Amino acid sequence: MAANSMRSQQASLLRLRRVVYQRPPYPCTRHYTTDISHNEHPSPASSVANRRSSLSVSSESRFNEIGVQQISSHVYSQIFPGKAPPAPEELVRLSKDHLQRHELLGKNTDSSEPVAFDMPEIQGQTLDEHFYKLAMDSAEPYLGLAQKYSIANAPPRPRKWARRSGWTKYFRDGSSEPVEAPDEEMLTFDVEVLWHESSYAVMACAVSDKSWYAWLSPWLLGESESDRHLIPLGDPQKPRIVVGHNIGYDRARIAEEYELNQSRNYFVDTMSLHVAVNGMCSRQRPTWNMHRKNRETRDKIANSEATADLAALLQAKGDIDEEEELWVGRSSVNSLRDVAHFHCGVTIDKAKREWFSELDRQGVCDKLDELLDYCAADVDITHRVYKKVFPAFMETCPHPVSFAALRHLSTEILPVNRTWDSYIANAEATYHKLSDAVEQRLHDLASKALELKDKLEEYENDPWLSQLDWSGQEIRMVKGKKKGDAPRPAARQKMPGMPNWYKDLFVKNGAPIGLTVRTRISPLLLRLAWDGYPLVWSDKYAWTYRVPKTEASKYIDRALEPCDMSEE
């Protein structure tokens, strides 16, 4: 009896638990309370300590009309002040009908204890108003400056440059004067680096809506033994718009950006604006380059003395290609030359850029005027691009949050001390150590595979090694030098007796082996597999894996592409 009574009590308890934890069909509100302390009877001292160590407050859970848990009542009242209107009955009925047709209506879902804490006061009556006000607070005064600068025209470029270190300001009347830094709120900026001698800038140009500026390194003019000169832009606490193409490269050479107190410079990157408006992903770039090459070929033939029929045929093929890839004409790669051609229809001659990689310091000084003209031309083109892409960006991303976010993304800093050099050296040494170990492992695997060159049956039955080219092991022989001499190997044979896959790893006899993780045969030597199936190279599909026909449907159901290897 006692045992039966106990089993009956346990069964009743189990049923009671199921009833207690079963959710009502469609509760609009469920009341749970979460406390700071998990003790049933906390002491006053522990309650005070918990309140100090936690931001959590008591609250009630909220569920909507179909039983989905929502934010807690405490958080809800802060985000949505006032009485919330009930959900439209028509939408509630539609939701219930949809769930019922999928046999989900009334099914239990996981519920969590309500999370509640005090939030900063909402700025405005709605969340839209709240985020708009915060965004404008962060974006201004830069947004106003950027909009003003996007309709400003740059003054004419100087016709003559002063050979003076530091900043020189050029006026519209052709006069100039030395200045400590450009005293401007809006600038378009570009630097040039003699990169094979120094990572510091040797010259820079800038333009505002009023004046042109040029900066020359004292090291370039022979006034300093050190090449380590950063470019000052003026008072770091003055709000300033600095426009450039890939401006992060130029920002790295500005003096104020190395101060721990963050400057109020806003670096506007025309490359980033272009990517947001007319950019492309990395997978689209090869297709775009192919279309550009085809277009250039058609233009070249059309402008040459080729027959009219050939030109018409190429034009017709080009029209078909453009129809297949309509997006090609609506995008471009990110270089200043391509972006300027896309947005402004101008062609930039970048031939003089090579001078910075070919000339030494004296050579740059000898061609100083021409190189300053080149740098100023880039600044002028960048400003013209900015006048196109900034309005397009504001049309594509009109909310001020987007513009405000760019300010913080473009002004990141990473404070370091002298241990940074040690970190870089250690990281580089570790990389080379691991890389060398991997390459040595590949060399050992190649030598091990080479031992099978005379064991035809063994390597032909290996799913990885059978894909290697084992032909070419014959040794070409010639007659002996004298009558009766035995035949001898012919001269100038590349590694006679070795299979072709091994010969291809060497440029010539005596050269070091060219086997790295990027080499085509490396996955085969490493015996790589996918889902347990050896990798198989295909000239059409690249790396694939062969599965039994009985399991093919399983992989097709995963949206994997079956490969037709009949042409391999």
Side-chain angles (χ1 to χ4, degrees), residues 444-466 468-471 473 497-499 501-502 524-525 527:
D444 295 341
L445 291 174
S447 300
K448 185 177 180 181
L450 189 63
E451 295 174 359
L452 303 178
K453 68 184 183 69
D454 298 323
K455 301 177 181 179
L456 175 65
E457 184 177 352
E458 190 167 343
Y459 67 69
E460 281 192 343
N461 292 326
D462 188 289
W464 290 278
L465 299 183
S466 60
L468 300 176
D469 183 5
W470 291 90
S471 62
Q473 299 186 40
M498 297 299 175
W501 68 264
Y502 191 75
L524 301 177
L525 296 176
R527 310 180 77 82

Side-chain angles (χ1 to χ4, degrees), residues 109 350 379 401 435 453:
T109 59
K350 284 288 187 178
V379 171
V401 162
S435 178
K453 68 184 183 69

Side-chain angles (χ1 to χ4, degrees), residues 352-493:
K352 292 181 181 179
R353 181 178 62 178
E354 301 303 321
W355 289 358
F356 288 101
S357 61
E358 298 170 355
L359 301 176
D360 57 8
R361 179 170 58 169
Q362 186 57 47
V364 171
C365 285
D366 294 340
K367 296 181 179 294
L368 187 60
D369 288 345
E370 294 175 82
L371 291 174
L372 280 170
D373 283 337
Y374 165 77
C375 184
D378 271 5
V379 171
D380 195 17
I381 290 295
T382 301
H383 183 64
R384 293 173 62 181
V385 168
Y386 171 75
K387 294 179 65 176
K388 292 284 187 178
V389 296
F390 179 76
F393 173 80
M394 294 305 297
E395 181 179 353
T396 305
C397 308
H399 201 285
V401 162
S402 300
F403 181 81
L406 292 179
R407 174 195 171 195
H408 301 288
L409 290 174
S410 65
T411 54
E412 296 173 345
I413 61 172
L414 178 63
V416 296
N417 56 21
R418 295 188 181 277
T419 61
W420 178 256
D421 293 333
S422 300
Y423 165 75
I424 294 294
N426 291 336
E428 192 72 12
T430 302
Y431 164 75
H432 284 295
K433 179 181 178 181
L434 296 175
S435 178
D436 293 344
V438 171
E439 290 192 8
Q440 184 58 48
R441 175 61 175 163
L442 286 172
H443 297 171
D444 295 341
L445 291 174
S447 300
K448 185 177 180 181
L450 189 63
E451 295 174 359
L452 303 178
K453 68 184 183 69
D454 298 323
K455 301 177 181 179
L456 175 65
E457 184 177 352
E458 190 167 343
Y459 67 69
E460 281 192 343
N461 292 326
D462 188 289
W464 290 278
L465 299 183
S466 60
Q467 300 181 55
L468 300 176
D469 183 5
W470 291 90
S471 62
Q473 299 186 40
E474 304 82 7
I475 301 177
R476 187 161 52 88
M477 308 295 289
V478 296
K479 294 180 180 180
K481 292 184 178 181
K482 297 180 181 180
K483 187 176 181 180
D485 288 351
R488 57 187 176 84
R492 297 182 180 178
Q493 294 187 75

Side-chain angles (χ1 to χ4, degrees), residues 495-550:
M495 308 184 74
M498 297 299 175
N500 284 334
W501 68 264
Y502 191 75
K503 294 179 183 179
D504 292 340
L505 300 177
F506 299 85
V507 177
K508 60 181 180 179
N509 288 334
I513 187 171
L515 179 59
T516 68
V517 291
R518 297 178 180 272
T519 307
R520 176 70 55 80
I521 68 170
S522 293
L524 301 177
L525 296 176
L526 292 169
R527 310 180 77 82
L528 297 186
W530 184 269
D531 262 4
Y533 298 109
L535 295 188
V536 178
W537 173 258
S538 165
D539 291 334
K540 182 178 180 181
Y541 301 101
W543 288 108
T544 65
Y545 56 99
R546 186 182 291 113
V547 301
K549 289 185 177 180
T550 55

Side-chain angles (χ1 to χ4, degrees), residues 67-88:
V68 176
Q69 187 174 9
Q70 299 179 323
I71 59 176
S72 65
S73 58
H74 184 79
V75 174
Y76 182 87
S77 62
Q78 297 176 81
I79 298 178
F80 305 102
K83 187 176 181 181

Side-chain angles (χ1 to χ4, degrees), residues 286-335:
T287 302
W288 189 91
N289 286 327
M290 179 188 69
H291 279 268
R292 178 173 66 173
K293 185 177 180 180
N294 292 340
R295 185 169 57 250
E296 291 174 350
T297 302
R298 292 197 303 269
D299 294 342
K300 184 177 180 180
I301 293 177
N303 295 329
S304 66
E305 297 179 356
T307 63
D309 293 340
L310 178 58
L313 179 62
L314 290 172
Q315 183 61 42
K317 183 181 183 301
D319 293 340
I320 295 174
D321 292 341
E322 293 297 335
E323 289 177 3
E324 292 176 352
E325 301 287 358
L326 292 176
W327 62 266
V328 171
R330 296 177 173 86
S331 185
S332 81
V333 291
N334 302 334
S335 68

